[in-house]
Protein backbone atom coordinates (compact mmCIF):
# COMPACT_ATOMS: atom_id res chain seq x y z
CA UNK A 1 0.00 0.00 0.00
CA UNK A 2 2.92 2.35 0.72
CA UNK A 3 4.17 2.11 -2.86
CA UNK A 4 0.70 2.79 -4.26
CA UNK A 5 0.32 5.85 -2.05
CA UNK A 6 3.77 7.09 -3.08
CA UNK A 7 2.94 6.68 -6.81
CA UNK A 8 -0.35 8.57 -6.37
CA UNK A 9 1.48 11.43 -4.63
CA UNK A 10 4.10 11.41 -7.38
CA UNK A 11 1.37 11.63 -10.06
CA UNK A 12 -0.35 14.50 -8.25
CA UNK A 13 2.94 16.38 -7.90
CA UNK A 14 3.72 15.86 -11.60
CA UNK A 15 0.31 17.26 -12.59
CA UNK A 16 0.75 20.26 -10.29
CA UNK A 17 4.22 20.92 -11.72
CA UNK A 18 3.03 20.79 -15.35
CA UNK A 19 -0.35 22.55 -15.08
CA UNK A 20 -0.26 26.14 -13.84
CA UNK A 21 -4.05 26.02 -13.35
CA UNK A 22 -3.83 23.21 -10.78
CA UNK A 23 -4.76 24.48 -7.33
CA UNK A 24 -4.74 21.44 -5.04
CA UNK A 25 -4.04 17.75 -4.91
CA UNK A 26 -7.70 17.05 -4.17
CA UNK A 27 -8.81 18.99 -7.24
CA UNK A 28 -6.30 17.13 -9.42
CA UNK A 29 -7.26 13.72 -8.01
CA UNK A 30 -10.98 14.26 -8.52
CA UNK A 31 -11.19 16.40 -11.67
CA UNK A 32 -8.30 15.58 -14.02
CA UNK A 33 -9.36 13.03 -16.68
CA UNK A 34 -5.76 12.60 -17.89
CA UNK A 35 -4.78 11.38 -14.46
CA UNK A 36 -7.81 9.10 -14.26
CA UNK A 37 -6.87 7.57 -17.62
CA UNK A 38 -3.29 6.93 -16.46
CA UNK A 39 -4.46 5.35 -13.21
CA UNK A 40 -6.91 3.16 -15.10
CA UNK A 41 -4.18 2.19 -17.56
CA UNK A 42 -2.04 0.87 -14.73
CA UNK A 43 -4.83 -1.55 -13.85
CA UNK A 44 -5.67 -2.55 -17.43
CA UNK A 45 -1.98 -2.97 -18.31
CA UNK A 46 -1.54 -5.34 -15.40
CA UNK A 47 -4.53 -7.35 -16.67
CA UNK A 48 -3.09 -7.30 -20.20
CA UNK A 49 0.32 -8.61 -19.11
CA UNK A 50 -1.40 -11.38 -17.12
CA UNK A 51 -3.25 -12.46 -20.26
CA UNK A 52 -6.70 -11.24 -19.14
CA UNK A 53 -6.91 -9.46 -22.48
CA UNK A 54 -10.70 -9.16 -22.77
CA UNK A 55 -11.01 -7.64 -19.29
CA UNK A 56 -8.12 -5.29 -20.04
CA UNK A 57 -9.72 -4.08 -23.29
CA UNK A 58 -13.12 -3.74 -21.63
CA UNK A 59 -11.58 -1.64 -18.85
CA UNK A 60 -9.78 0.60 -21.32
CA UNK A 61 -13.03 1.17 -23.23
CA UNK A 62 -14.90 2.13 -20.07
CA UNK A 63 -12.11 4.60 -19.30
CA UNK A 64 -12.36 5.97 -22.84
CA UNK A 65 -16.10 6.55 -22.41
CA UNK A 66 -15.55 8.46 -19.17
CA UNK A 67 -12.42 10.44 -20.06
CA UNK A 68 -12.27 10.74 -23.86
CA UNK A 69 -8.74 9.29 -23.68
CA UNK A 70 -7.95 5.95 -25.31
CA UNK A 71 -4.88 4.13 -24.03
CA UNK A 72 -4.46 0.57 -25.26
CA UNK A 73 -3.74 -1.71 -22.29
CA UNK A 74 -0.67 -3.06 -24.08
CA UNK A 75 1.08 0.34 -24.16
CA UNK A 76 4.03 0.74 -21.80
CA UNK A 77 3.96 3.97 -19.79
CA UNK A 78 6.64 5.34 -17.46
CA UNK A 79 6.38 7.35 -14.28
CA UNK A 80 5.05 10.88 -13.86
CA UNK A 81 3.23 10.74 -17.23
CA UNK A 82 0.76 13.62 -17.53
CA UNK A 83 -2.00 14.23 -20.07
CA UNK A 84 -3.26 17.83 -19.94
CA UNK A 85 -6.98 18.17 -20.80
CA UNK A 86 -6.74 14.90 -22.69
CA UNK A 87 -9.85 14.76 -24.86
CA UNK A 88 -9.07 12.89 -28.06
CA UNK A 89 -5.72 11.41 -26.99
CA UNK A 90 -5.08 7.99 -28.56
CA UNK A 91 -2.14 5.78 -27.54
CA UNK A 92 -1.63 2.55 -29.50
CA UNK A 93 -0.85 -0.96 -28.30
CA UNK A 94 2.91 -1.01 -28.91
CA UNK A 95 3.61 2.58 -27.85
CA UNK A 96 6.32 3.05 -25.24
CA UNK A 97 6.32 6.23 -23.14
CA UNK A 98 9.23 7.12 -20.88
CA UNK A 99 9.28 8.96 -17.57
CA UNK A 100 8.22 12.63 -17.22
CA UNK A 101 6.38 12.76 -20.56
CA UNK A 102 3.54 15.22 -21.16
CA UNK A 103 0.84 15.16 -23.84
CA UNK A 104 -1.79 17.78 -24.60
CA UNK A 105 -5.27 17.07 -25.98
CA UNK A 106 -5.80 15.53 -29.39
CA UNK A 107 -2.42 13.76 -29.56
CA UNK A 108 -2.19 10.45 -31.43
CA UNK A 109 0.58 7.92 -30.91
CA UNK A 110 -0.53 5.73 -33.79
CA UNK A 111 0.55 3.07 -36.20
CA UNK A 112 1.03 3.17 -39.96
CA UNK A 113 0.83 -0.54 -40.71
CA UNK A 114 -1.37 -3.52 -39.93
CA UNK A 115 1.59 -5.89 -39.52
CA UNK A 116 2.20 -7.56 -36.16
CA UNK A 117 5.08 -6.34 -34.02
CA UNK A 118 6.16 -2.83 -33.05
CA UNK A 119 3.80 -0.43 -34.85
CA UNK A 120 3.62 2.61 -32.57
CA UNK A 121 6.11 5.26 -31.43
CA UNK A 122 8.49 5.36 -28.52
CA UNK A 123 8.74 8.63 -26.59
CA UNK A 124 11.85 8.76 -24.45
CA UNK A 125 12.08 10.52 -21.07
CA UNK A 126 11.04 14.16 -20.81
CA UNK A 127 9.26 14.49 -24.16
CA UNK A 128 6.44 17.06 -24.45
CA UNK A 129 3.86 16.83 -27.25
CA UNK A 130 1.66 19.79 -28.25
CA UNK A 131 -2.08 19.71 -28.94
CA UNK A 132 -3.21 17.83 -32.01
CA UNK A 133 0.20 16.36 -32.87
CA UNK A 134 0.33 12.99 -34.61
CA UNK A 135 3.33 10.73 -34.07
CA UNK A 136 2.99 7.74 -36.34
CA UNK A 137 4.81 4.46 -36.79
CA UNK A 138 7.56 2.56 -34.96
CA UNK A 139 9.76 5.62 -34.53
CA UNK A 140 11.65 7.04 -31.56
CA UNK A 141 11.43 10.61 -30.29
CA UNK A 142 14.61 11.29 -28.32
CA UNK A 143 14.69 12.36 -24.68
CA UNK A 144 13.92 15.99 -23.91
CA UNK A 145 12.34 16.67 -27.31
CA UNK A 146 9.32 18.89 -27.93
CA UNK A 147 6.73 18.19 -30.64
CA UNK A 148 4.83 21.31 -31.67
CA UNK A 149 1.06 21.58 -31.94
CA UNK A 150 -0.45 19.84 -34.99
CA UNK A 151 2.92 18.47 -36.14
CA UNK A 152 2.89 15.16 -38.00
CA UNK A 153 5.98 13.11 -37.12
CA UNK A 154 6.85 10.00 -39.13
CA UNK A 155 10.64 9.80 -38.67
CA UNK A 156 12.96 9.33 -35.71
CA UNK A 157 14.18 12.45 -33.92
CA UNK A 158 17.35 12.81 -31.85
CA UNK A 159 17.32 13.85 -28.21
CA UNK A 160 16.61 17.52 -27.43
CA UNK A 161 14.86 18.23 -30.74
CA UNK A 162 12.01 20.56 -31.58
CA UNK A 163 9.71 19.03 -34.20
CA UNK A 164 7.29 21.20 -36.14
CA UNK A 165 5.44 21.08 -39.44
CA UNK A 166 3.78 18.57 -41.75
CA UNK A 167 5.81 16.48 -42.13
CA UNK A 168 7.69 17.52 -39.01
CA UNK A 169 11.33 18.41 -39.32
CA UNK A 170 13.54 18.33 -36.24
CA UNK A 171 15.86 21.10 -35.21
CA UNK A 172 18.01 21.17 -32.08
CA UNK A 173 16.54 22.90 -29.04
CA UNK A 174 18.18 26.22 -28.34
CA UNK A 175 19.98 26.58 -25.05
CA UNK A 176 17.55 27.84 -22.45
CA UNK A 177 14.42 26.77 -24.37
CA UNK A 178 11.63 26.31 -21.86
CA UNK A 179 9.33 23.44 -22.84
CA UNK A 180 6.11 25.27 -21.96
CA UNK A 181 7.26 28.36 -23.85
CA UNK A 182 8.20 26.29 -26.92
CA UNK A 183 4.79 24.59 -26.94
CA UNK A 184 2.92 27.89 -26.80
CA UNK A 185 5.09 30.03 -29.11
CA UNK A 186 3.23 30.98 -32.32
CA UNK A 187 6.19 30.04 -34.55
CA UNK A 188 5.84 26.39 -33.45
CA UNK A 189 2.22 26.03 -34.53
CA UNK A 190 0.91 25.20 -37.95
Amino acid sequence: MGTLRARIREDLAAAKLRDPAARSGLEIALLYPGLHAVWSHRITHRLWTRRARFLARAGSQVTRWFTGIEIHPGAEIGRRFFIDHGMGVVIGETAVIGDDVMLYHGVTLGGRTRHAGKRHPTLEDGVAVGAGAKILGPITIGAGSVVGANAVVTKDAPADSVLVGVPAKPRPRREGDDTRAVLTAPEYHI
Side-chain angles (χ1 to χ4, degrees):
M1 188 64 161
T3 303
L4 176 62
R5 187 173 291 134
R7 288 293 295 269
I8 289 170
R9 285 186 181 149
E10 185 177 69
D11 290 336
L12 295 173
K16 193 161 179 74
L17 174 70
R18 291 182 178 93
D19 185 357
R23 288 184 288 278
S24 73
L26 181 63
E27 176 186 50
I28 295 166
L30 295 177
L31 303 176
Y32 276 54
L35 196 53
H36 300 153
V38 170
W39 287 343
S40 174
H41 176 267
R42 289 190 187 139
I43 296 165
T44 62
H45 183 70
R46 183 168 288 163
L47 290 168
W48 185 263
T49 59
R50 292 191 175 147
R51 298 256 189 254
R53 303 263 162 107
F54 181 83
L55 285 175
R57 288 299 305 264
S60 71
Q61 289 303 300
V62 168
T63 301
R64 177 182 167 212
W65 292 332
F66 283 110
T67 66
I69 299 166
E70 182 176 344
I71 305 174
H72 192 285
E76 297 176 30
I77 296 177
R79 296 173 70 168
R80 298 173 301 278
F81 174 52
F82 180 61
I83 303 171
D84 197 3
H85 299 291
M87 184 59 76
V89 167
V90 176
I91 299 172
E93 176 183 8
T94 62
V96 177
I97 299 172
D99 296 337
D100 303 304
V101 171
M102 179 176 174
L103 306 181
Y104 284 91
H105 59 281
V107 169
T108 299
L109 304 181
R112 293 187 303 160
T113 179
R114 295 174 55 161
H115 300 295
K118 178 81 168 133
R119 305 182 303 284
H120 301 94
T122 297
L123 306 183
E124 293 182 344
D125 296 347
V127 170
V129 183
K134 310 300 178 222
I135 304 174
L136 306 172
I139 63 174
T140 299
I141 306 302
S145 292
V146 177
V147 178
N150 294 314
V152 177
V153 185
T154 58
K155 295 184 179 171
D156 291 339
D160 296 314
S161 295
V162 173
L163 296 113
V164 295
V166 178
K169 292 182 173 55
R171 73 147 174 87
R173 285 179 71 166
R174 294 182 204 119
E175 191 171 322
D177 270 354
D178 171 57
T179 299
R180 190 174 290 146
V182 169
L183 287 172
T184 59
E187 63 268 23
Y188 297 127
H189 293 77
I190 297 171

